[in-house]
Amino acid sequence: MSSAKCFHSIKNFKPTPRTRNGIKELDRLANMGSYLQKLIVLIPFFGIFVGRDTYSIASFINYGWQVSQTDWVTFDQALAAAPEITRTKINAFAEKEWFVASGNDALFWRCVANATK
């Protein structure tokens, strides 16, 4: 069953306080994933530019060397992994909640878990 159909199959859903708190946790995990992705983007630029004398001609030559020595393949892989890490964390949380919930709450968490596989 597609995740869209899964969510549409839940009728008259009124989440319990535990599920509402769980939804807040999903939001927190998604925000942390966003922060992770932004941090990964900053790392190579931090390594290239921090601690350099910006007024020296030699520093501009050094910037060029630092850029060429940066491992851009690993950077690309890390950047691509950030959403996967976030999805994996959300999936693990949803599966845990699915196993302890009942009724429509369990169906909701099953849908979230299946949507994040």
Side-chain angles (χ1 to χ4, degrees):
M1 176 184 300
S2 75
S3 55
K5 287 182 183 178
C6 183
F7 287 108
H8 287 301
S9 69
I10 304 174
K11 304 291 185 209
N12 301 319
F13 180 53
K14 291 189 178 194
T16 63
R18 179 184 174 101
T19 295
R20 286 194 301 269
N21 287 336
I23 292 168
K24 289 177 186 175
E25 179 64 10
L26 291 182
D27 188 47
R28 188 189 74 76
L29 290 170
N31 285 334
M32 292 304 292
S34 176
Y35 296 142
L36 173 63
Q37 194 160 8
K38 290 173 185 170
L39 180 64
I40 289 170
V41 169
L42 291 176
I43 289 171
F45 300 103
F46 183 81
I48 293 167
F49 295 109
V50 170
R52 309 282 186 238
D53 179 7
T54 59
Y55 300 107
S56 166
I57 295 295
S59 70
F60 288 111
I61 295 168
N62 193 27
Y63 287 156
W65 183 83
Q66 288 287 85
V67 169
S68 69
Q69 297 302 310
T70 300
D71 186 353
W72 294 107
V73 173
T74 302
F75 169 72
D76 184 52
Q77 291 169 344
L79 192 57
E84 179 67 28
I85 292 167
T86 302
R87 189 171 59 243
T88 300
K89 287 287 194 186
I90 290 173
N91 178 267
F93 180 79
E95 285 185 348
K96 178 184 70 101
E97 291 297 312
W98 175 17
F99 293 125
V100 298
S102 62
N104 279 342
D105 286 316
L107 182 57
F108 170 79
W109 289 114
R110 183 184 82 183
C111 293
V112 172
N114 289 336
T116 56
K117 280 187 180 182

